[in-house]
Amino acid sequence: MSGTDFDLTAALAADGPQRPLFCGFSAELSGAEAVVYGAPCDSTASYKPGSRWASVAMRHASESLETWSPRLDKDLTDFHIADAGELELPLGNMPLVMDKIRKTTADILRAGAIPIMIGGEHSLTYGAVRAAYERYPDLEVIHLDAHTDLRPDYLGEKYSHASVMRRVWELLGDGRIHQYGIRSGTREEFVWAREHLNFHPFELSALPATLENLRGRPLYFSLDLDVLDPGCFPGTGTPEPGGVGFADLVAAIYSLVGQNVVACDLMELAPTLDPSGISTVTACKLLRELLLTIL
Ligand code: MN
Ligand code: MN
């Protein structure tokens, strides 16, 4: 099945014991170098929901993608990458959702593998970062996004996707969140970001210099896919014009080579908002390139 003929109903019917795996991945968790899991939750989406279907759609669209990367000359099948399937999340109860993601991420880290979460809304990153921080107290967070995600809360919801990096900052403190590509937020958020974060709005070009300074430090790489321009990635719930292109983003991902990336996520794909399926295939290709860069 290609990304262009993804049918959500058929996809869900095909799940269960015979669920498809991400192309090139294994169902065997034991001994895996990386474990990918779906986190299907979009309870706090502030505009359009739909990211809960991202991982299901990506598994199907991944069949249209080669496992070999011509850019990297590496193949997914050269590695033991496990697909742990979908987490069952209690939608609407964000504290419980966070606990479950934190525990799942901690279990994967304890097993010696790199956890890769496929969102879902970006708020879920907090649970995964928390687990990584508990294992690596000197953790640094690399955050690519169109949005600052720094509101203290959103309409009273502190686990909103508009607040996720504020929650992460409460864990890590000043100077350990590195933001790139940001082009939307309140004036207060931009002022706050310049004071408390390593803040690089609009572009990704400053990332390699940051990574050079952080060499050896444990990194959490959080990719909100809406950092891409909605012209090439319309399948997301809060599209923000003026974003980066695929080539810029994939170059940023390649700059992670040789770094100590301990956990990652790809968030905010909402596949049903892009009937062409291009956004879903794009997310799959970015997942492949990210894995082949960090493994
Ligand atoms: Mn975000
Ligand atoms: Mn965003």
Side-chain angles (χ1 to χ4, degrees):
M1 187 183 287
S2 77
T4 53
D5 59 5
F6 171 67
D7 178 326
L8 190 59
T9 311
L12 290 172
D15 284 345
Q18 268 82 49
R19 67 180 172 83
L21 299 170
F22 281 108
C23 186
F25 296 4
S26 161
E28 177 57 55
L29 301 182
S30 178
E33 293 154 90
V35 175
V36 179
Y37 65 92
C41 170
D42 53 15
S43 304
T44 81
S46 54
Y47 187 39
K48 293 182 181 178
S51 63
R52 72 175 68 178
W53 309 120
S55 43
V56 171
M58 282 175 66
R59 280 195 189 84
H60 287 263
S62 70
E63 290 174 29
S64 74
L65 200 67
E66 302 288 357
T67 56
W68 181 65
S69 165
R71 293 275 186 192
L72 297 170
D73 189 20
K74 290 165 88 176
D75 199 298
L76 291 172
T77 57
D78 296 338
F79 301 90
H80 182 172
I81 304 165
D83 179 358
E86 298 286 284
L87 287 188
E88 280 189 271
L89 297 173
L91 296 178
N93 188 329
M94 292 309 281
L96 272 184
V97 167
M98 291 301 163
D99 280 351
K100 194 146 189 182
I101 288 168
R102 177 188 181 185
K103 185 177 178 309
T104 301
T105 307
D107 287 347
I108 296 168
L109 287 169
R110 202 176 307 115
I114 299 175
I116 320 264
M117 174 168 61
I118 308 296
E121 59 174 57
H122 204 179
S123 48
L124 309 180
T125 293
Y126 175 69
V129 167
R130 196 151 172 202
Y133 170 67
E134 283 160 1
R135 191 170 180 88
Y136 301 101
D138 54 344
L139 189 74
E140 306 271 340
V141 172
I142 308 295
H143 171 217
L144 278 52
D145 202 322
H147 308 94
T148 52
D149 292 351
L150 288 170
R151 282 174 156 87
D153 62 78
Y154 188 71
L155 305 178
E157 174 57 72
K158 68 180 199 142
Y159 290 125
S160 165
H161 66 165
S163 301
V164 58
M165 286 301 150
R166 189 69 171 240
R167 296 290 87 76
V168 169
W169 173 82
E170 288 167 359
L171 281 180
L172 301 182
D174 282 354
R176 289 167 64 184
I177 300 171
H178 310 267
Q179 286 195 329
Y180 302 87
I182 314 294
R183 57 191 183 277
S184 177
T186 64
R187 177 181 291 148
E188 290 76 14
E189 283 179 288
F190 271 60
V191 169
W192 196 91
R194 290 199 163 90
E195 200 174 320
H196 297 279
L197 313 185
N198 183 16
F199 183 58
H200 300 276
F202 308 115
E203 292 177 13
L204 309 179
S205 52
L207 179 59
T210 297
L211 292 172
E212 199 49 51
N213 288 334
L214 295 178
R215 190 159 288 280
R217 293 286 290 271
L219 304 181
Y220 187 105
F221 181 69
S222 184
L223 175 56
D224 183 331
L225 290 158
D226 67 27
V227 73
L228 285 164
D229 190 83
C232 68
F233 195 89
T236 192
T238 322
E240 191 64 46
V244 304
F246 180 85
D248 289 332
L249 178 53
V250 85
I253 286 172
Y254 294 153
S255 72
L256 292 166
V257 69
Q259 295 287 339
N260 182 20
V261 178
V262 299
C264 309
D265 60 50
L266 271 79
M267 312 302 282
E268 297 283 354
L269 165 67
T272 51
L273 298 178
D274 177 5
S276 78
I278 292 169
S279 303
T280 306
V281 171
T282 300
C284 290
K285 186 160 181 173
L286 290 167
L287 174 62
R288 183 189 76 189
E289 298 303 282
L290 175 61
L291 281 162
L292 293 178
T293 298
I294 64 174
L295 288 177

